[in-house]
Amino acid sequence: MRLLIVEDDPMIGESLREALRRQGFAADWVHDGQAADAVLASGERFDAVLLDLGLPRRSGIEVLKALRARGDSTPVVVLTARDALTDKVAGLDAGADDYLVKPFELDELLARLRAVTRRHGGRTATTLQVADLRLDPATREVSRAGRSILLSAREFALLEALLERPGAIVSRAQLEDRLYGWGEELESNAISVYMHQLRKKLGADLLHTVRGLGYYAGPEKGTAPMPAGPEKGSAA
Ligand code: CA
């Protein structure tokens, strides 16, 4: 999951970014409202935004209103230091999906992130699954046919990105964006190395490469074009 942290307090911003990166998120951090605006309007895609309200140069509420005015539905969790009802109401009314009052526990933030991204993706199930391969974002458990499989944080993040939309091809660049924040060291073949490791651990039958396009999870799709009408000899 790729996250943007908008926070002017250097202690909170830094510790939040490091904690989220340790969890395997690609987390980027901007320090004021104008920088947040610029990044969010640039077309760079985030799975969720953690937005402080009291910011220099442009308030969090203004950043949020501008985001929604652009028709951007990226989930936003408002972080507010003040336990003021007006802040929560203003945030939600401006288009926030949820809010957290500082100081908060990392576990609660992670649960809220899972909830807002699940809703945004139109999913009601809390686990991701194709065939007998199952991933639980909350417990971070992966299993195949009921057998638990241990993955590294990056392998988990990569598999999660693919399982969110089974059958949909995700490009290498999209996966790199999901796995790496700004300034994080990235080998050019990193994604194919992780794919190789995932196939070794999970079996190769559910993880596929489409040359030149990217990767998908699910049963292998046939390479033949879809027939226009009923196939010759088909039972239908
Ligand atoms: Ca602040």
Side-chain angles (χ1 to χ4, degrees), residues 5 37 48 63 85 101 111 123 126-128 135 159-160 162 170 181 205 212 230-231:
I5 303 162
D37 241 4
V63 171
L85 182 66
V101 177
R123 294 188 302 275
T126 53
T127 57
L128 303 174
L135 179 149
L159 184 64
E160 187 178 27
L162 292 174
V170 189
D205 56 321
E231 221 170 330

Side-chain angles (χ1 to χ4, degrees), residues 19 25 169:
F25 294 95
I169 296 170

Side-chain angles (χ1 to χ4, degrees), residues 157-174:
L158 178 53
L159 184 64
E160 187 178 27
L162 292 174
L163 288 182
E164 277 171 7
R165 291 189 302 138
I169 296 170
V170 189
S171 74
R172 192 180 77 177
Q174 287 171 324

Side-chain angles (χ1 to χ4, degrees), residues 6-9 52-56 79 81 102:
V6 187
E7 171 65 69
D8 61 317
D9 183 312
D52 181 30
L53 289 186
L55 291 169
L79 308 176
K102 289 186 270 190

Side-chain angles (χ1 to χ4, degrees), residues 184-204:
E184 280 192 280
E185 202 68 38
L186 168 63
E187 301 279 344
S188 64
N189 65 343
I191 300 296
S192 37
V193 170
Y194 287 129
M195 284 301 295
H196 179 74
Q197 289 166 357
L198 280 175
R199 286 187 181 116
K200 258 173 50 184
K201 292 183 178 183
L202 305 168

